[in-house]
Amino acid sequence: MTRRHAVRHDPTRLTPKAVSWRPLAAGQPAMSPAWWAWVASRDSLTARLIEAGGEKTFRVRLLDQRPGRPRPDEARALGLPVGRLAWLREVALCLDERPWVVARSVAPLAQLRGQRLDRLGERSLGSWLFRQPGLERSPIEVTASPPPFHCQSGPWGRRSVFRHGRFAVLVQEFFLDAMADELALPSR
């Protein structure tokens, strides 16, 4: 059984914006050292957000989850034929109910084999992923494009593919302006 959650109607869902991804190293010259520390980190973003938030309450807000067709760039990142179905999950990582990061995960349906991502609810995907033995993470790619699935914008986005055995999931995380404001980070 799938559940669909939406914060508000977002007309951009109907016509996804193109996102231009590039290798992490190619983004470094345009990125401040403060942002580099966030974008280039390979540890749990959830844990880093909780630590940076201090006394603020952390929450994962489920925006949407459903089977669907990934965008062409997402399918390429996973090595999927365009048009193949995948599990799509979109969340906002909030501190004191204010979104700091929006994330979209894409997992090929054929590779889920017992992984019940629909049961994560408002729990962090990272909290499950980083507990998996033998977890592998692809190189990080970055973008200065806004999230194609959410109306808020921010300075940077990153993505990578996590693999655990036959399971693979593309995780895309977009850091929002609210996070930059709260942590007094530079605009880029």
Side-chain angles (χ1 to χ4, degrees):
M1 178 169 119
T2 61
R3 296 181 313 177
R4 186 174 220 168
H5 296 267
V7 173
R8 64 182 152 258
H9 175 69
D10 181 0
T12 60
R13 285 186 190 279
L14 303 176
T15 54
K17 299 172 235 166
V19 177
S20 174
W21 295 99
R22 56 190 174 161
L24 178 62
Q28 186 174 13
M31 201 176 296
S32 69
W35 275 114
W36 179 260
W38 281 97
V39 176
S41 72
R42 296 184 63 84
D43 56 350
S44 168
L45 179 59
T46 299
R48 291 174 59 85
L49 288 170
I50 290 168
E51 183 179 335
E55 298 298 313
K56 292 178 177 20
T57 302
F58 176 81
R59 175 180 173 223
V60 175
R61 183 185 311 151
L62 181 61
L63 303 175
D64 189 26
Q65 67 177 358
R66 62 188 158 69
R69 290 186 182 12
R71 293 188 320 270
D73 68 288
E74 294 170 331
R76 277 191 304 276
L78 286 163
L80 285 177
V82 175
R84 180 79 46 93
L85 285 178
W87 183 253
L88 310 176
R89 182 174 191 257
E90 297 168 3
V91 298
L93 306 178
C94 304
L95 282 110
D96 282 351
E97 296 301 321
R98 189 172 182 199
W100 281 21
V101 174
V102 289
R104 176 174 160 104
S105 303
V106 180
L109 285 178
Q111 295 176 4
L112 287 181
R113 300 193 196 287
Q115 309 298 337
R116 297 300 310 256
L117 297 183
D118 59 332
R119 292 187 182 165
L120 277 173
E122 295 202 333
R123 286 179 290 147
S124 156
L125 175 61
S127 67
W128 175 81
L129 275 175
F130 283 97
R131 288 193 322 263
Q132 302 311 307
L135 180 69
E136 296 176 8
R137 185 176 190 174
S138 73
I140 295 172
E141 294 179 307
V142 298
T143 186
S145 300
F149 58 91
H150 198 269
C151 58
Q152 294 185 25
S153 63
W156 298 105
R158 70 178 188 173
R159 75 177 186 178
S160 55
V161 176
F162 291 86
R163 295 187 188 283
H164 171 63
R166 292 185 45 132
F167 173 75
V169 60
L170 172 67
V171 178
Q172 302 160 98
E173 299 157 325
F174 290 83
F175 301 91
L176 301 178
D177 291 332
M179 177 182 166
D181 293 345
E182 290 282 334
L183 298 178
L185 293 168
S187 61
R188 290 246 181 231

